[in-house]
Structures are given as C-alpha cells and as structure tokens.
Amino acid sequence: MPLAPSAKGTVQFGEYKTWYRVTGDLGSERPPVVVVHGGPGSTHDYLLPLAGLAEHGWPVVHYDQLGNGGSTHLRDRGADFWTVDLFLAELDSLLNSLGIADNYVLYGQSWGGLLAARHAAARPAGLRGLVIANSPASYPLWLEEMARLRADLPPGVNETLLRHEAAGTTDSEEYYAAMTPFYEKHVCRLKPWPREYQASFYEVYNDPTVYYTMNGPSEFHVIGTLRDWGVEDCLPDIQVPTLILSGRHDEATPKTVQPYKDLIPESRWEIFEDSSHVPHLEEPELFEKVMTGYLGSL
C-alpha cells in the first residue's frame, strides 16, 4: 500500500523554528500520533517508519527538536538554555501551531518518553493516549543499569571505556571503537544499521551541542544536565491509557522501565523479545500489530 502523502514545513517557536513532517490527513477524525524523538539532540529520522501508521488511518507528525535536524541550531548556547522546560514548551508550541492540541496521541521514544510523560502528567485536555517506548523513568536508574550492562561486555572493553572517561578523552577513536559492542548489543541489533537509524547518528555527529550538554558523550556515560533527572514523581498524575514498550535486550532495562508500569494508573507493558532499543526497526511487523491494536482501543 503506498504511504499517505506527507507535508513538511516549519512552525515558529519564539524566535526559533521547529521543523515538522505530517503524514496523512490532520483533518481526519482519528487523533494524530505525534512522535517525540530521543537524544536529547537526535532527530526524527530513525522513527520515520512510524509514518506507516497513516496507512491504517492515523495521521503521524514527526518533528526535530530545537538544536538539531531541520530545526534551528544554536551551537553557542550553554547548559542554562537547554532545559526540559524548553522542550516541553516547544512541544506545546507545535501542537498549537498545527491545530491539534485538542485531539492527539503522543509517542515518546527514549528521552522522548520521559518528555512525553512529563507533558502527559500536566493532564492536557486534548491528549487521548500515550506511548512510552524504550525509556528509563530516571537517569539515576539508567546509570545504575548501565554499570551492570557495561560489566557484561567482552573482556577489556569496559576497562578501555573507563580509562578514556577518566582521562576526558571520550572523543578518541579508541573510545568510539570500544562503544561499538555495547551499541550492537543494547541499542540496535540489526546489521547493518538501517539507513534511517544511521541518519539520526550523523545528525548528532554534525551538531552534538544538545546531546553533549544534556546527556554526555555516549548512551552509557551520562554526565550532562539530565544525570540526576527523572519523572517518577509525576507518573501517578498521568490519566490517559498508556502503552509501555521495551526490548528484551534494551539498554532501557526492565528495572529502568518498571516505574512506568507501577505508577501510571492505566498502563500495559509490551516487551519485544528479539529487540533492543528500537523495536520499530528490529521487529517491525509485531510493532505495527501492537501499535494499531493500541490505537484502535482508544
């Protein structure tokens, strides 16, 4: 089936611009699925396969968060600028600019899941459903589990990583090479990586301002401003049906995801047995079945 037509553009966010892409018809009766990407500081590219939901009648909105991709880049801004509140305000701005704030579903992946949870906890009147995909409920939990996953890497790998982290040489070729076994085991198990996934990595590489500031030099070495942040405190305030997704081999381990299931009143959790951090790429057919089943139940 051919993909529904898409439209691309930018909306104003204060003095900046947020890039977006709409697949399908925003005027249809079904609520659009707004896709909130990870990072922070990544782009929408690796989540493009979600546009396929438009074939089943749900319009899909992708966007690039400020600082990356097609949105305004601000390489000279410091940590005081790149805040959770900034990205929450950008999401609100997008929903209002596209005229969908009264009827929408949020899909938040990785960091985007924490952002979407915080948004949902404010109980916006137009939010119909929430999907939290491959997201830890807090970065302290994440770091605790990263230490465990790193210890299970092949002999010598973690030692190399730790040596460079201690020396502040995480931009070295040796550090990047040592990152690979972790990424291939817990981030994306497909070989080669899909083009969409590589595209987002290239975008982060081209402008790592947001990623380095808020996260750090790698998925497992979080030394940025988010290192002590989490959303457990607000999860009981979420009042919409919530689908939680994770992979059996995910860097977002069950321990990091469990608070969502425990604390969100109306939630269910689906674990993809053959996936790590990107089930929509690793098990696309099952992913589509799970997502259309959830959306149809709203």
Side-chain angles (χ1 to χ4, degrees), residues 86-205:
L86 173 76
F87 292 106
L88 287 170
E90 182 185 34
L91 177 56
D92 285 339
S93 165
L94 178 78
L95 296 170
N96 286 312
S97 296
L98 295 180
I100 57 175
D102 60 347
N103 188 37
Y104 63 101
V105 173
L106 273 191
Y107 180 100
Q109 202 275 338
S110 199
W111 135 264
L114 289 96
L115 193 67
R118 185 65 76 177
H119 173 93
R123 301 186 185 179
L127 182 64
R128 301 289 174 250
L130 173 67
V131 182
I132 295 173
N134 319 100
S135 304
S138 78
Y139 284 93
L141 266 180
W142 175 266
L143 284 168
E144 194 180 306
E145 287 293 273
M146 288 304 108
R148 183 178 66 78
L149 295 178
R150 287 171 58 146
D152 287 340
L153 293 172
V157 173
N158 198 31
E159 289 75 10
T160 300
L161 295 169
L162 290 168
R163 175 162 48 81
H164 283 287
E165 288 162 5
T169 51
T170 54
D171 56 351
S172 70
E173 288 296 325
E174 190 180 33
Y175 186 78
Y176 278 107
M179 283 165 49
T180 303
F182 181 95
Y183 279 66
E184 290 180 343
K185 188 175 181 181
H186 298 298
V187 183
C188 182
R189 294 165 68 84
L190 299 174
K191 290 184 180 181
W193 278 358
R195 187 174 58 182
E196 302 98 324
Y197 202 52
Q198 293 188 45
S200 282
F201 267 86
Y202 289 139
E203 290 282 4
V204 177
Y205 179 79

Side-chain angles (χ1 to χ4, degrees), residues 47-70:
L47 291 162
L48 266 177
L50 271 77
L53 293 171
E55 297 175 14
H56 300 278
W58 283 277
V60 179
V61 177
H62 287 87
Y63 74 105
D64 285 337
Q65 292 162 29
L66 191 66
N68 284 84

Side-chain angles (χ1 to χ4, degrees), residues 254-271:
K255 185 174 180 178
T256 71
V257 176
Q258 190 68 47
Y260 291 114
K261 184 70 185 75
D262 291 345
L263 298 172
I264 297 175
E266 192 181 344
S267 62
R268 71 177 180 88
W269 186 0
E270 187 88 30
I271 298 177

